[in-house]
Amino acid sequence: MSVFHDIGVAYGYTKEDARLRYSDSQAKGNYNAPKGDEVAVDDSYWIPPRQPADVTKLRTPWPAVALATFRQGKEKVTRVKFSLAFGFDDKMRSREWLNIPAGVTARFLVLSPPAKLDYFDPSARKWRRKDIPLEYSKKMDITNAAISDPFWRGIPAVELDSWINPGDATVVPVYPADNITANLLQATAATDHGGLLANRGIELVRWVKPEFIRIIRDCYEPAGSEKDAGRKVR
């Protein structure tokens, strides 16, 4: 006879948002871990909202450092996957154009990726941690941008394990800053993670080469503020 040790409930604007909030509650100790020969069963049921979620109310998975758009004629993303062996890597046909209607400007948040990333290994049924190789890039366009001193280093970018496409070896994670941009980005391939990055809240994250980005303004906030803790700044 199977007996559930604990059943938890979490609310969110999307399924991933709810999972992220549930993970936060576990980290704060609001979870009774199995003991002895009890087996942890990870299953969930999602009840979607009656209306589509407003992307401006969602939390970003990583802190935002800038509000940006594409350079003219460079409206494309890099298709990225995450694997046990290589971490973040670009796919064989990695560049994907956005179909942006006339008169529309795609606005997105440039995110600061972590140096270490926790992911779930389904084969071992355990969490693991992977180092993420980072570098600071100054290839973005900052003409007329409202930026502060921290930008002298550039923007944080991920070095892909890119032996197939060495020209696409550095990308920046971005997140839609409005619902129009969210719809445009969701028409492109999501980060392929095969369940490894479940509960990480990256379903809306896409990847753009630094030289394709035009910075509008930075999003730096005083250390310790709510916005500095990972809230989106618009």
Side-chain angles (χ1 to χ4, degrees):
M1 178 179 177
S2 299
V3 177
F4 284 106
H5 186 87
D6 186 46
I7 298 176
V9 177
Y11 300 91
Y13 293 102
T14 65
K15 185 177 182 179
E16 282 294 299
D17 184 41
R19 284 178 171 175
L20 193 61
R21 293 172 186 270
Y22 186 65
S23 296
D24 288 347
S25 69
Q26 289 184 341
K28 293 178 181 178
N30 300 327
Y31 171 72
N32 296 319
K35 300 178 178 62
D37 58 357
E38 297 172 350
V39 178
V41 177
D42 184 9
D43 195 7
S44 63
Y45 180 76
W46 167 245
I47 302 175
R50 294 181 179 179
Q51 297 179 348
D54 181 354
V55 71
T56 64
K57 295 181 179 180
L58 300 178
R59 295 186 301 169
T60 56
W62 308 314
V65 297
L67 176 67
T69 186
F70 291 99
R71 281 181 167 178
Q72 187 173 4
K74 301 293 185 181
E75 298 86 359
K76 47 189 171 182
V77 298
T78 297
R79 300 174 65 198
V80 173
K81 62 184 178 181
F82 184 87
S83 67
L84 291 170
F86 302 111
F88 289 115
D89 192 8
D90 54 343
K91 299 183 180 181
M92 179 70 75
R93 297 179 180 177
S94 62
R95 295 185 183 180
E96 187 171 3
W97 285 89
L98 270 72
N99 184 19
I100 302 179
V104 173
T105 299
R107 298 165 67 252
F108 50 80
L109 296 164
V110 174
L111 304 183
S112 179
K116 297 181 182 295
L117 183 65
D118 293 332
Y119 66 93
F120 186 74
D121 182 351
S123 61
R125 294 189 59 81
K126 64 187 298 185
W127 287 92
R128 300 186 186 276
R129 175 165 292 183
K130 195 170 192 65
D131 292 333
I132 306 300
L134 304 177
E135 69 173 39
Y136 281 83
S137 175
K138 295 184 178 181
K139 295 180 179 180
M140 68 286 184
D141 181 8
I142 60 173
T143 305
N144 299 322
I147 57 177
S148 54
D149 289 342
F151 250 71
W152 70 267
R153 296 182 64 188
I155 54 178
V158 174
E159 297 178 11
L160 301 177
D161 189 340
S162 186
W163 62 272
I164 294 177
N165 299 302
D168 286 350
T170 302
V171 292
V172 173
V174 303
Y175 200 92
D178 53 55
N179 292 312
I180 293 177
T181 304
N183 291 333
L184 293 172
L185 292 179
Q186 287 185 89
T188 65
T191 303
D192 181 15
H193 50 74
L196 299 178
L197 298 181
N199 304 338
R200 299 295 89 187
I202 68 164
E203 74 278 11
L204 294 181
V205 170
R206 297 297 187 269
W207 306 84
V208 180
K209 293 176 66 63
E211 56 265 37
F212 295 169
I213 294 175
R214 179 172 67 83
I215 301 296
I216 298 173
R217 63 178 174 86
D218 69 44
C219 294
Y220 285 104
E221 295 292 330
S225 68
E226 181 185 55
K227 292 178 181 179
D228 177 61
R231 298 285 181 179
K232 290 203 280 190
V233 184
R234 301 179 184 280

